[in-house]
Amino acid sequence: MNKEEQVMMSLRELVNKMAWLNKFKMQESLRGYKSSEVHYIEYIGRNSDSNVTKLAESLYMTRGAISKMTRKLIKKGAIESYQKPDNKKEIYFRLTKQGQEVYNIHEELHKEFQERDKVVFEQITEEQLDSMLNFVEKYNRHLDEEMKKRGY
C-alpha cells in the first residue's frame, strides 16, 4: 500500500471511529432524532433563510430528498416553514423551540467531543495544523471540480 492509500484508509478509519464513539452519546442525548435529521437541524440553525435549494447544495442531497426530510421535521415539530412578505414563491425553514433545543444539545455534544479529543490537538504544532488544513482544502477543491464535471 502506498502512502496515498494509507492516508485515505487512515482518514476513513478516523471518521468511522469518531462516528462510532460519538454515536452512543448522540443517540442517548437526542432520542427520537436520527443523525441525518440532526444534520438538517444543524444547517437550518446555522443559516438563516434556509430553503430547499440551499439545503440540497450544502448537504449534497437531491431537492426531493430535502423536501421529504423537511416535511418529516415539520411533522416532528423541529422546524417550520415560512415565506417572506416580498417573495411568496420561495419557502424557507427555521427552527421551532423544539428544534432549537435539539440544535443546542447537538452543539454541546460537539463541545464535549472536542474537549475529549483536545489532548491530541495539544500535541500538534501550528505548522502541522496548517499543513493538514492545506491538504484538506486542496482535496476539497479537487472534489468540487470533479463534482462540477459531473454536473453536480
Side-chain angles (χ1 to χ4, degrees):
M1 179 181 322
N2 67 35
K3 287 189 178 184
E4 290 172 18
E5 291 169 325
Q6 287 178 327
V7 166
M8 294 308 296
M9 203 162 122
S10 294
L11 285 173
R12 276 193 290 278
E13 186 177 6
L14 177 73
V15 170
N16 288 339
K17 284 179 182 179
M18 286 173 54
W20 187 84
L21 273 173
N22 298 352
K23 177 182 176 182
F24 302 106
K25 185 77 175 196
M26 290 275 206
Q27 286 177 340
E28 178 186 308
S29 300
L30 297 165
R31 265 197 193 95
Y33 288 92
K34 294 181 177 141
S35 175
S36 56
E37 294 170 332
V38 175
H39 284 121
Y40 281 67
I41 290 169
E42 178 183 31
Y43 182 86
I44 293 168
R46 288 188 177 167
N47 299 280
S48 60
D49 296 334
S50 296
N51 60 23
V52 171
T53 302
K54 288 179 185 177
L55 282 160
E57 289 171 357
S58 297
L59 300 174
Y60 304 101
M61 310 267 308
T62 65
R63 291 168 50 94
I66 299 294
S67 294
K68 185 176 179 181
M69 180 62 84
T70 52
R71 282 193 302 274
K72 189 174 182 181
L73 289 172
I74 288 169
K75 190 174 180 181
K76 278 188 165 189
I79 65 172
E80 61 187 6
S81 62
Y82 67 96
Q83 292 178 306
K84 294 181 179 181
D86 59 331
N87 182 356
K88 294 294 182 187
K89 180 183 167 197
E90 193 67 51
I91 296 173
Y92 299 93
F93 304 102
R94 62 181 162 226
L95 299 180
T96 61
K97 184 179 178 195
Q98 179 182 330
Q100 188 64 49
E101 289 171 9
V102 170
Y103 176 84
N104 292 343
I105 291 168
H106 184 250
E107 288 297 299
E108 286 302 313
L109 288 170
H110 271 287
K111 287 178 188 171
E112 183 180 318
F113 301 148
Q114 202 170 7
E115 187 64 32
R116 174 197 68 204
D117 299 337
K118 192 166 92 173
V119 63
V120 175
F121 290 94
E122 290 172 345
Q123 300 172 34
I124 296 173
T125 67
E126 197 71 25
E127 192 175 83
Q128 288 171 316
L129 278 173
D130 288 340
S131 180
M132 286 185 269
L133 282 170
N134 185 36
F135 167 75
V136 170
E137 288 167 5
K138 280 182 182 178
Y139 200 20
N140 258 319
R141 282 193 303 272
H142 163 72
L143 294 176
D144 286 342
E145 288 302 314
E146 288 299 314
M147 290 169 74
K148 278 183 194 173
K149 287 180 191 176
R150 289 167 175 75
Y152 298 114

